[in-house]
Amino acid sequence: MSLKPEFHDRMLSLGLARVAEQAAIASAALIGNGDEKAADQAAVNAMREQLNLLDIAGVVVIGEGERDEAPMLYIGEEVGNGNGPGVDIALDPLEGTTLTAKDMPNALTVIAMGPRGSMLHAPDTYMDKLAIGPGYPENVVSLEMSPKERVEALAKAKGCDTSDITLCILERPRHEEMIAEVRATGASIRLITDGDVAGVMHCAEAEETGIDMYMGRGGAPEGVLAAAALKCMGGQMWGRLVFRNDDERARAAKTGITDLDRIYSRDEMVTQDVIFAATGVTGGSLLPAIKRTPGWIETETLLMRSKSGSVRRMTYRAPVDQTS
C-alpha cells in the first residue's frame, strides 16, 4: 500500500506565492475601471489556472461561494494536478473588489493552504471577529466583553491609556453602536470600507500599521483566512458565527457545524501548520500596489509559514508579455 504524500510546506510555499502573484497581475489592468465583477473574474481565472499546476490534491474549503453560486473556485472544488498531498485551500482571489474598482487602498489577492482537515469549513455567513497582535497574555480580551471592556483590558495589558489604543473596524451601519462605545473610551478608530482580512493582519504589525485591535462583524470565510494569516504572523483571534435565517443555519449544518453559538479561537479555526500568501493589488499599509511601467509589471508578495514563523516579502518584476 502506497503512503500518502506528506504536506511539505517549504516546498509548496513558492508555488503558493506564484498563485497569489498571478491573480494580482490578472486584476492589475482593471484597477480603477469601476467594474468589480470583471476584476474579480480575472483574479479567479488566474488563481484557478495556477492552482491546477501545483503538485497537490487540493479541495477549496473557503472559496467563491457554494457550487450553485460560483462556477469556479467554489467550496468543495478539487484543484491541483492530483499528484501530491491532500490539502485544504482557503482563498479570496481578490479581497477588495470594490477597492480595486475604485483604486482604493488595501486590495489583496489572498490564499492559504494546509493539510487536509486543517481549516474550519466556515459557511458563507457573518462572523463576529476580535483580533489583537502578538505579545499579550492569552485571552486578555474576549468576545464576551463589551467593546468598552475590550479597549480597557488591552490598554491595561499594553500599559497605556485607552486614548493610546487604535482599532480597525469595518464602516457599516451595523457597527454604529460599537463605534460610539469605542470612541467614548478615548480610543481611536481607523474605519475601512472593505477588506477585513487585511484589517485583522494589521494587528500583527502594530508598529508599522498603528492598529492594536480589530473588531466587528464580517464574512465568516474571510475570518478563517485572517486566522491563517495570524497563525503565521502571531497574534490572537476569536470568531463566532452569526446566523440571520434558517437558510444560513442549514449551511452550517451542511458543513458539520452543530454548536451554533461556539466561539472559535485562532487555532480552532486553523488547527495545523499552514502557509499563507498575499499580493498587493492596490497600495496599503501591508503591501504596495502593483507597479505598471511601459513594458513591465512589478508586484510584492507576503509569503508566510506558520511552522517556521518565517515571513518573506518577495518582489517580482517581469516583462508584461512574460508574466504567465
Side-chain angles (χ1 to χ4, degrees), residues 6-11 13 113-115 228-234 266-267 270-276 303-311:
E6 289 185 29
F7 177 71
H8 292 294
D9 64 326
R10 188 172 65 87
M11 300 299 291
S13 59
M113 181 190 295
L230 280 199
K231 196 172 182 78
C232 298
M233 302 174 85
R266 182 198 73 181
D267 292 342
V270 182
T271 61
Q272 299 181 58
D273 281 315
V274 293
I275 47 181
F276 179 96
L303 176 62
M304 306 185 290
R305 296 163 56 211
S306 66
K307 185 175 182 178
S308 63
S310 63
V311 178

Side-chain angles (χ1 to χ4, degrees), residues 261-282:
D261 298 315
R262 178 176 174 179
I263 292 176
Y264 296 88
S265 68
R266 182 198 73 181
D267 292 342
E268 288 170 332
M269 287 189 269
V270 182
T271 61
Q272 299 181 58
D273 281 315
V274 293
I275 47 181
F276 179 96
T279 302
V281 177
T282 59

Side-chain angles (χ1 to χ4, degrees), residues 32 45 65 81 87 89-90 107 129 132 136 167 170 172 195 201 217 240 244 247 265 278 307:
N45 292 346
N81 63 18
V87 297
I89 294 170
K129 305 172 194 177
I132 57 175
Y136 293 105
L167 293 89
L170 268 175
R172 296 289 188 271
M201 291 171 68
R217 183 171 293 183
R240 177 173 50 210
R244 294 167 294 180
D247 177 60
S265 68
K307 185 175 182 178

